[in-house]
Amino acid sequence: MRRQPDSPVQPDRSLLLAGVTLADGTRADVAVEGTRIAAVAPPGTAPPAGERFELDGYLLLPAPAEPHAHLDKAFTAGQVPNHTGDLDGAADAWLGYRPTVSHADLVHRATGAALAQLGSGATAIRTHVEIGTDIGLSSLDALLEVRRALRSRVDLQLVAMPRSPLTGPDGGDNRALLREAMLAGADVVGGCPYRDPDPAAAHEVCLDLAAELGRPLDLHTDETLDPEVLWLPHLAGLVRARGFTNGVAASHCVSLGVQPSDVAARIAAEVAAAGIAVICCPLTNLFLQARRLTAPPRGLTALHALLAAGAEIAGGGDNLRDPFNPVGRADPLEVASLLVLAGHLDPRRAFQAVSAGARAVMGLPEVRVAPGFPAELLAIRAESIEEAVASASPERVVIHRGRPVSRTTLAREMWPGSEAPSPWPRT
Ligand SMILES: [Zn+2]
C-alpha cells in the first residue's frame, strides 16, 4: 500500500473495485483511498472498504478525458440547419442563431452534454466557449454556472474563443473581450487566428495574452484542406522564440494532413520540439471537410508523422449534434474508434489518444491503474482495450476523485426464448 502524504485517508472515503480485469488481462481488486489508488491486489485479498463494487467482467482503465468540446453549441442541430454541410455553412448558420440563445437554454444543453460525456467516462472536459460583440460574455457566464454546478462531478476547463479579427483597429473590441473573459474565469486562451486578416499577428495577440496571464493556449489552428493555409510552423516558431511553457494545444491541423510526407515530417518535428500537442477531431472534420470531392481526403491531421516525431497527440469529440456535426454520442470511445478507422491508429494507441494524451494536453496529472495515481477511472464491460474500443459497451462505472460519479447498466430482452444471450459476446 502506498499513500500520498497530501491526501489523508478517511474511512468513509475508501472504495474497492473488486474483480476487475486490468489492461494486461490479469484480474485484480483495486483499492481507492481518498482521491488516489491505494493498492492493486490479487482478487479477494484487498481489505474491506467503505464502499464496494463487484466488477467481474469489467475492464478497469484510466478514465478518458475530452480535450476539445463545444458545449455551448451542443444539441442544436435541429434548430440550426447547415444548408451546405460544410464549415462555412455551419459557421453562418451558427452565427445567425447564437444571439438568440437564452442563458437557461445554454445551461441546460451544456449540462446535458457534460453529463453525457461523464457517463461515457470523461472525468475532465475542455470546452471552447464563444465570446463576441454580439453575445458579449453571455455564453461564458452560462458555462461558469455549469462548471460551478458540476464541480464535484467533473473537471471543466473553459477556453475563451473570440471572433476574428483580433488584429488592427477592427479587432479592438474582440481583444478587449478576450482579456475580459480570461479575467472573468476562463482557464485557457483560445481563438482561430488563421481566419484573421493578419494571422501572424493574431497568433501573437493570443500567445502574448496567455503569457501575460500565465495561462495555457489552445487554438483552432486550421480547418481547411488548402495546403497553403499552414500556420502550424509559425506557431511552433513563436512558442520556441518566446520560451512559452504554459502548455499549447493546436486543434484540428487539417492542413498538415494534406502536406507531402517530407513537409509533414519536418513540421511535425518542429511541433514536437516546441512541445505543442495536437488534438485531432475526427467526427467534425470527417463531416465538414472535402464535401465537393469525388475521392475525398479524410480531413484529419498527419497523425503518424506527429507520432513519429514524438509529438503529443490527443483525440477530441469536438461538436456534438450541432450545425458543425449532426451526430455524436458524447463518448471518447467513439472518437477512438474513428481514430482507428479514419486515422489508422491501432486500438490501444487510439485509446491512449483519448485518455493519457487528452489529459496531457489539458495539463492534468498522469493516471495509471497503479498505487499512488489519481483515481480517475473507467470500468467498462470488456476483456481488453481492443474490445472496449470496438464494442464501446454502455455498461460503465465512472470514478472521479476517488468517488463513483456514474453507473450505466444495460437490459436487453430478446424473443422468443427464455434466456437473453449476452449482448457483448466473448470472442
Ligand atoms: Zn472546435
Side-chain angles (χ1 to χ4, degrees):
M1 300 259 289
R2 179 175 142 198
R3 293 170 181 162
Q4 294 300 114
D6 59 342
S7 55
V9 175
Q10 303 165 19
D12 62 340
R13 291 274 290 159
S14 64
L15 175 69
L16 186 63
L17 307 173
V20 298
T21 303
L22 303 178
D24 66 2
T26 58
R27 300 273 311 284
D29 287 351
V30 173
V32 173
E33 293 178 1
T35 61
R36 291 182 179 270
I37 297 168
V40 178
T45 64
E51 193 169 6
R52 178 185 176 101
F53 276 81
E54 299 297 338
L55 292 171
D56 283 353
Y58 282 75
L59 181 72
L60 190 68
L61 295 168
E66 173 48 71
H68 188 114
H70 289 270
L71 300 182
D72 51 355
K73 298 184 184 116
F75 305 131
T76 58
Q79 298 95 294
V80 195
N82 176 352
H83 292 296
T84 60
D86 60 12
L87 180 60
D88 287 342
D92 289 347
W94 177 253
L95 288 173
Y97 180 76
R98 74 179 193 178
T100 70
V101 173
S102 73
H103 180 86
D105 174 55
L106 207 159
V107 167
H108 177 71
R109 288 186 291 98
T111 301
L115 291 179
Q117 285 279 4
L118 180 64
S120 296
T123 61
I125 301 169
R126 174 179 283 187
T127 183
H128 296 256
V129 187
E130 295 191 355
I131 56 178
T133 50
D134 55 336
I135 56 171
L137 300 185
S138 59
S139 296
L140 179 65
D141 291 340
L143 263 298
L144 288 168
E145 184 176 322
V146 173
R147 186 170 70 182
R148 279 193 298 274
L150 300 183
R151 65 183 179 278
S152 65
R153 297 199 260 177
V154 61
D155 293 329
L156 203 51
Q157 296 183 354
L158 307 181
V159 185
M161 186 175 171
R163 282 198 70 178
S164 296
L166 276 176
T167 59
D170 292 344
D173 287 346
N174 288 327
R175 288 195 298 275
L177 270 173
L178 180 56
R179 175 178 292 274
E180 206 180 317
M182 295 307 299
L183 298 178
D187 305 290
V188 182
V189 174
C192 302
Y194 84 104
R195 294 177 82 94
D196 198 279
D198 186 345
H203 277 87
E204 297 198 27
V205 169
C206 295
L207 190 72
D208 286 348
L209 183 63
E212 177 192 332
L213 300 179
R215 305 295 184 84
L217 184 68
D218 190 334
L219 299 176
H220 280 64
T221 292
D222 72 74
E223 287 185 87
T224 175
L225 290 164
D226 182 349
E228 302 298 318
V229 179
L230 188 59
W231 288 98
L232 192 51
H234 177 77
L235 175 64
L238 204 56
V239 167
R240 293 180 80 178
R242 301 285 176 86
F244 183 84
T245 56
N246 300 342
V248 181
S251 293
H252 298 292
C253 302
V254 174
S255 172
L256 184 65
V258 292
Q259 302 298 324
S261 57
D262 58 329
V263 176
R266 175 175 54 77
I267 296 171
E270 294 172 26
V271 167
I276 296 173
V278 174
I279 303 175
C280 181
C281 301
L283 278 91
T284 299
N285 287 142
L286 286 167
F287 178 73
L288 290 176
Q289 300 293 321
R291 288 226 150 214
R292 315 244 180 304
L293 303 178
T294 48
R298 299 175 181 209
L300 305 189
T301 194
L303 290 167
H304 288 279
L306 291 162
L307 287 171
E312 188 73 70
I313 64 158
D318 206 2
N319 299 89
L320 180 66
R321 300 181 222 166
D322 67 16
F324 296 78
N325 170 29
V327 296
R329 296 192 292 272
D331 184 359
L333 292 180
E334 182 183 22
V335 178
S337 181
L338 286 168
L339 290 175
V340 173
L341 295 173
H344 291 167
L345 300 187
D346 72 65
R348 283 182 178 252
R349 190 63 191 78
F351 180 75
Q352 200 179 331
V354 300
S355 53
R359 288 183 66 86
V361 167
M362 296 166 73
L364 298 169
E366 182 185 11
V367 173
R368 291 187 208 163
V369 183
F373 284 91
E376 302 288 328
L377 300 165
L378 168 65
I380 179 168
R381 185 169 287 284
E383 291 185 339
S384 65
I385 291 177
E386 288 82 354
E387 185 189 352
V389 171
S391 75
S393 167
E395 293 190 89
R396 305 183 193 192
V397 176
V398 183
I399 310 295
H400 175 51
R401 294 186 201 153
R403 304 302 306 153
V405 288
S406 174
R407 177 163 205 171
T408 305
T409 56
L410 176 69
R412 176 174 290 173
E413 298 177 62
M414 300 185 85
W415 297 275
S418 56
E419 279 197 15
S422 164
W424 313 111
R426 303 277 87 88
T427 51

